[in-house]
Amino acid sequence: MAAKLDVRNVSANLQNESILRNVSLKLEPACIAAIMGPSGCGKTTLLRALAGFLPVSSGEIHVHEKLLSTSQFTLAPENRHIGMMFQDLALFPHLTVRQNISFGLKSLNGGDKRTRTRQVLELTELDHQGGKYPHQLSSGQQQRVALARALAPKPEILLLDEPFSNLDPDLREQMATGVRKILKHEDVTAILVTHDQHEAFAMADEVGVMLDGRVEQWDSAYNIYHKPRTRFVADFVGLGSMVPAKVLDACTLETEFGQVSGDFDPSFTSGQEVDLLVRPDDIPHDDSSPITALVEEKRFRGAEFLYKLRLRSGNFVLCYAPSHHNHQIGEPIGIKLDLEHLVVFARNPTERAGNLR
């Protein structure tokens, strides 16, 4: 049975340094979440606290209303029914695939152990690899062995600490999609820690972004990208630029593209100078547009170019254009602003330029 996870105002320290600061989140049974953030933000520390490897200094962790951690109590990891898949995979090189998977099934008798091992081998499409050793497998197959071993004891929650980081980007996203199908089949609640937003979006039902030990936003992948609540989330997830704007009324902004309307934070007042988040997909290439910008940089992405454009004001925006629109550096191109969402922040002149990456 999938578990419901409830983390309530959890803080944790390492060597007297505060690493987690009042982290709260909830996961419904069988929900898959991904946590992103820069190195040192507390992602792995949060997984260690959930697994019981690290005591919390305050707050509580509950699974199905069962208390796992407080500042006064830490339930042992082996009693939590929480599995963990590590970044280095930690496969036993001297054991076969089948032996690696069955290693954690010591509580089962021989027949049940063989049955469960066979089940997860088939589930992870390793049923013809059981007699091989880890070094005889591809990187992707080794990832699946580690997943199969973590799933074999039927954990209520599975924690995945950057398990695909050693794979190339295309295989990483492919693995994330495949692992999602397996977790859904097994009805497992899971949390993935990753630096890769494509991996997170491919795998997760919900996404959290962390900074300095705090959760900046916990939301759907769609909202994380299109409706970021803080400047950090807007910058960390996806590409974008901050375009100067002025608030005209409760639903209208004046920009150098003209007036734009929509819902935004009602706390902004008429006449206030603000910054408007503009993603590359908000700037369609349009040769018939009266608005032009100069190509400052370009990146070829196969089916499209990503252009960094200098507006007449000197501000920069990013623009996707089909790859047959091959414009040269310094060339003017027509663009327009086509926003579905108005994401507005208080003015910060130092954070406007978009950068290609």
Side-chain angles (χ1 to χ4, degrees):
M1 180 179 179
K4 179 179 180 179
L5 174 66
D6 189 1
V7 178
R8 306 174 186 173
N9 299 312
V10 162
S11 296
N13 302 324
L14 282 175
Q15 298 178 343
N16 296 320
E17 181 182 355
S18 178
I19 304 298
L20 297 179
R21 299 178 176 89
N22 296 316
V23 172
S24 294
L25 60 92
K26 290 185 179 181
L27 281 186
E28 293 300 317
C31 180
I32 300 173
I35 300 176
M36 298 188 294
S39 297
C41 71
K43 304 185 300 294
T44 296
T45 300
L46 176 57
L47 292 196
R48 288 173 54 80
L50 294 176
F53 300 147
L54 179 71
V56 303
S57 57
S58 63
E60 299 178 351
I61 299 173
H62 296 255
V63 171
H64 279 325
E65 304 303 326
K66 179 181 180 180
L67 183 62
L68 302 188
S69 292
T70 69
S71 60
Q72 305 298 320
F73 167 75
T74 302
L75 185 67
E78 61 269 23
N79 296 324
R80 293 189 173 218
H81 303 290
I82 293 177
M84 194 156 185
M85 183 175 170
F86 297 95
Q87 183 175 357
D88 62 2
L89 304 185
L91 298 177
F92 298 113
H94 63 290
L95 299 182
T96 65
V97 168
R98 187 176 290 107
Q99 291 169 334
N100 263 280
I101 293 171
S102 65
F103 183 83
L105 299 176
K106 296 177 181 178
S107 62
L108 300 182
N109 61 40
D112 290 341
K113 181 182 293 189
R114 287 190 293 272
T115 297
R116 181 56 180 164
T117 300
R118 184 173 62 252
Q119 287 175 345
V120 293
L121 279 170
E122 292 174 354
L123 181 66
T124 53
E125 299 180 354
L126 292 166
D127 38 324
H128 298 299
Q129 311 295 333
K132 294 184 177 180
Y133 290 89
H135 73 272
Q136 297 175 302
L137 304 177
S138 68
S139 296
Q141 288 172 327
Q142 291 177 11
Q143 300 283 338
R144 281 185 276 146
V145 175
L147 176 65
R149 186 179 62 183
L151 288 173
K154 297 185 177 181
E156 293 182 340
I157 296 174
L158 181 62
L159 308 176
L160 303 101
D161 188 10
E162 300 194 56
F164 315 128
S165 61
N166 294 325
L167 303 179
D168 65 72
D170 289 339
L171 183 56
R172 211 157 42 215
E173 191 169 348
Q174 179 183 336
M175 280 294 299
T177 302
V179 169
R180 175 182 171 83
K181 292 179 180 178
I182 292 169
L183 294 176
K184 290 297 184 181
H185 180 276
E186 288 288 280
D187 199 33
V188 175
T189 306
I191 299 180
L192 166 75
V193 158
T194 179
H195 284 87
D196 189 297
Q197 68 183 47
H198 300 293
E199 181 182 308
F201 291 171
M203 184 167 168
D205 303 306
E206 298 180 3
V207 177
V209 180
M210 291 187 67
L211 176 66
D212 295 334
R214 295 184 174 87
V215 175
E216 290 275 298
Q217 186 170 347
W218 189 276
D219 217 325
S220 66
Y222 182 90
N223 285 342
I224 289 285
Y225 180 83
H226 287 290
K227 301 178 181 180
R229 293 177 190 159
T230 67
R231 278 182 176 269
F232 173 77
V233 174
D235 181 65
F236 189 81
V237 179
L239 300 171
S241 311
M242 293 294 176
V243 173
K246 179 184 289 187
V247 177
L248 297 183
D249 56 43
C251 62
T252 310
L253 299 176
E254 180 68 45
T255 76
E256 59 186 289
F257 293 92
Q259 292 185 9
V260 294
S261 298
D263 295 329
F264 54 88
D265 188 341
S267 66
F268 293 115
T269 58
S270 178
Q272 185 172 353
E273 302 287 337
V274 295
D275 286 333
L276 174 67
L277 173 65
V278 177
R279 300 288 194 189
D281 39 307
D282 297 325
I283 306 283
H285 176 273
D286 183 359
D287 287 325
S288 64
S289 173
I291 302 172
T292 61
L294 297 180
V295 176
E296 184 84 7
E297 298 178 34
K298 59 192 291 189
R299 295 286 187 274
F300 182 60
R301 299 287 178 89
E304 61 193 7
F305 278 104
L306 174 62
Y307 290 108
K308 180 178 180 179
L309 305 175
R310 181 190 294 271
L311 302 174
R312 291 179 181 178
S313 64
N315 293 308
F316 295 98
V317 293
L318 302 177
C319 167
Y320 287 129
S323 59
H324 57 271
H325 290 282
N326 186 9
H327 296 283
Q328 303 308 308
I329 303 296
E331 182 181 345
I333 66 172
I335 57 173
K336 60 184 180 181
L337 186 63
D338 185 15
L339 287 169
E340 293 289 331
H341 311 281
L342 298 189
V343 180
V344 180
F345 299 102
R347 173 62 56 84
N348 186 337
T350 65
E351 297 186 12
R352 293 183 198 159
N355 292 306
L356 301 187
R357 59 174 187 250

